[in-house]
Amino acid sequence: MAPVKKQKDLLQLFSNLTQKTKIVEPMKTLHGTLRDQDAVEREIALIMREIQERGFFKTKLEPIQLARLITSFYAGKNDTEIARELGDEKLSKTVARARVRLKLFRDMDFNMPFNPDEMKTLMDDSGLTMKDVSEKLGVSPTTLREYRHVIEQRDDTTLDPYLERIKDVMEDRDLSEKMASALQEDTLGEAIDVAESIDMTEMT
């Protein structure tokens, strides 16, 4: 018998034999109070709206889309997958730039075919154009802009207070899920132990 079906059958058996619901009710209450993904994304969207209203973040993505970007990133989605979740795979580059602005870095963001310090030194030289710098580094101007964007956002602390708030929201959600999982396992374990004990008593 499958574990899930067995748990359900045992819970039903316990409920039928004892006419009590105290084992099942805490799970229902917990389900109603647990902050789901939509609630988390709405809370993050409010923070993102505040950031945009202050002029700290310019993007074509709406606050709620940025919130989905963040939760999807933490769920392990790549930029193309996140763009699909936002409704348009063509938004992958927009997603990538917004992700970097939010300091949601991937290892590949820093996989540069040159020394970042060398790039910075060349970029600080007012006598060189973007094309000059890109030629010296052996990359296209477009690629150079992307790498420069990564370094600039890594060193920019403007959004740090807001990103800490978002991190707190995400950590609260993770803690809630862990507590919910632990409580549910304890509750199911207790129900199964009691139900199996009753079942054995009926058989003797």
Side-chain angles (χ1 to χ4, degrees):
M1 182 182 295
V4 173
K5 186 176 187 301
K6 181 178 179 181
Q7 290 175 355
K8 290 182 178 179
D9 290 345
L10 289 172
L11 283 171
Q12 186 60 53
L13 171 64
F14 180 74
S15 179
N16 290 342
L17 291 174
T18 64
Q19 296 298 310
K20 294 181 180 179
T21 58
K22 64 179 181 180
I23 297 291
V24 181
E25 285 174 353
M27 295 172 59
K28 293 180 178 178
T29 303
L30 180 63
H31 178 75
T33 58
L34 180 61
R35 296 167 59 203
D36 59 17
Q37 181 172 326
D38 288 342
V40 170
E41 289 181 357
R42 286 194 297 272
E43 191 168 346
I44 294 175
L46 291 175
I47 299 174
M48 294 309 309
R49 178 172 289 110
E50 185 178 346
I51 292 174
Q52 290 185 308
E53 288 176 349
R54 290 178 177 271
F56 295 150
F57 195 161
K58 294 183 179 179
T59 178
K60 67 172 67 174
L61 300 178
E62 296 295 326
I64 193 63
Q65 290 180 304
L66 291 167
R68 173 57 60 86
L69 184 160
I70 292 169
T71 58
S72 296
F73 172 84
Y74 281 111
K77 302 293 180 62
N78 63 40
D79 295 338
T80 301
E81 291 171 332
I82 294 173
R84 288 197 195 105
E85 288 198 352
L86 298 182
D88 187 353
E89 188 173 309
K90 295 179 181 178
L91 288 173
S92 58
K93 288 186 177 180
T94 300
V95 166
R97 287 187 65 82
R99 173 178 58 75
V100 169
R101 181 71 178 110
L102 294 168
K103 295 190 176 185
L104 300 175
F105 299 117
R106 305 187 193 279
D107 290 341
M108 61 182 295
D109 294 328
F110 296 96
N111 188 21
M112 304 175 186
F114 51 77
N115 188 320
D117 293 333
E118 181 183 2
M119 179 189 72
K120 189 176 186 306
T121 299
L122 291 171
M123 294 294 297
D124 290 341
D125 187 338
S126 59
L128 297 176
T129 64
M130 285 289 291
K131 184 177 180 181
D132 293 333
V133 176
S134 65
E135 289 177 350
K136 287 180 177 294
L137 295 176
V139 297
S140 69
T142 299
T143 299
L144 176 60
R145 290 190 184 91
E146 294 303 320
Y147 284 136
R148 182 183 66 174
H149 178 61
V150 170
I151 298 301
E152 287 178 344
Q153 301 315 313
R154 181 197 65 184
D155 298 336
D156 187 354
T157 60
T158 304
L159 297 184
D160 285 4
Y162 300 96
L163 299 182
E164 282 298 317
R165 288 165 57 189
I166 291 172
K167 182 179 177 182
D168 288 342
V169 173
M170 295 297 298
E171 288 180 347
D172 286 347
R173 191 274 299 272
D174 291 342
L175 179 61
S176 295
E177 289 181 345
K178 289 177 182 178
M179 291 176 64
S181 177
L183 181 57
Q184 184 170 351
E185 288 178 3
D186 289 346
T187 304
L188 279 173
E190 181 183 351
I192 291 170
D193 289 343
V194 173
E196 287 183 332
S197 175
I198 294 174
D199 190 31
M200 292 296 296
T201 301
E202 290 294 315
M203 293 173 62
T204 60

